[in-house]
């Protein structure tokens, strides 16, 4: 039973990582698109919205990195695992 739960957990981590990186790329593309349209149209509000989309992409990227680091198993240098990476990245995002 325990082995099956670990397999499911690994699949969930991989799937959530894929979703996070899709979020990064979509927000970056959206930010670039909004930025281009705001330059053409001269809208300052759209420039702010483009910067907000890019900031969302950066935050999602930080979360993706923390997920990848924290999912590593315990090793010799980190006998309790890498779970604190999530906390540190959460502080960085906040």
């Amino acid at each position: 039973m325990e082995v099956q739960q670990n397999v499911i957990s690994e699949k969930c981590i991989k799937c959530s990582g894929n979703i996070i990186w899709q979020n990064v790329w979509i927000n970056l593309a959206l930010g670039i698109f909004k930025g281009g349209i705001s330059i053409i149209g001269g809208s300052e509000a759209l420039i702010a919205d483009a910067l907000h989309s890019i900031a969302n992409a950066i935050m999602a990227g930080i979360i993706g990195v923390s997920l990848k680091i924290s999912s590593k198993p315990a090793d010799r240098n980190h006998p309790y695992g890498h779970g604190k990476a999530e906390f540190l990245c959460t502080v960085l995002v906040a």
Side-chain angles (χ1 to χ4, degrees), residues 1 7 9 12 21 30 32 34 36 41 46 49 53 57 59 61 64 74:
M1 275 284 211
V7 171
S9 176
C12 289
W21 292 114
L30 194 58
I32 292 169
K34 288 177 183 178
L46 202 52
D49 199 31
S53 293
M59 286 188 281

Side-chain angles (χ1 to χ4, degrees), residues 25-42:
W25 294 115
I26 289 170
N27 271 316
L28 275 178
L30 194 58
I32 292 169
F33 177 74
K34 288 177 183 178
I37 296 298
S38 67
I39 291 170
I40 293 170

Side-chain angles (χ1 to χ4, degrees), residues 46-87:
L46 202 52
I47 290 173
D49 199 31
L51 292 174
H52 187 258
S53 293
I54 292 171
N56 283 341
I58 292 169
M59 286 188 281
I62 291 170
I63 292 168
V65 169
S66 75
L67 179 68
K68 187 168 185 125
I69 292 171
S70 66
S71 66
K72 291 181 180 178
D75 57 17
R76 197 171 127 216
N77 293 331
H78 304 91
Y80 298 107
H82 296 83
K84 287 188 180 181
E86 289 180 3
F87 172 75

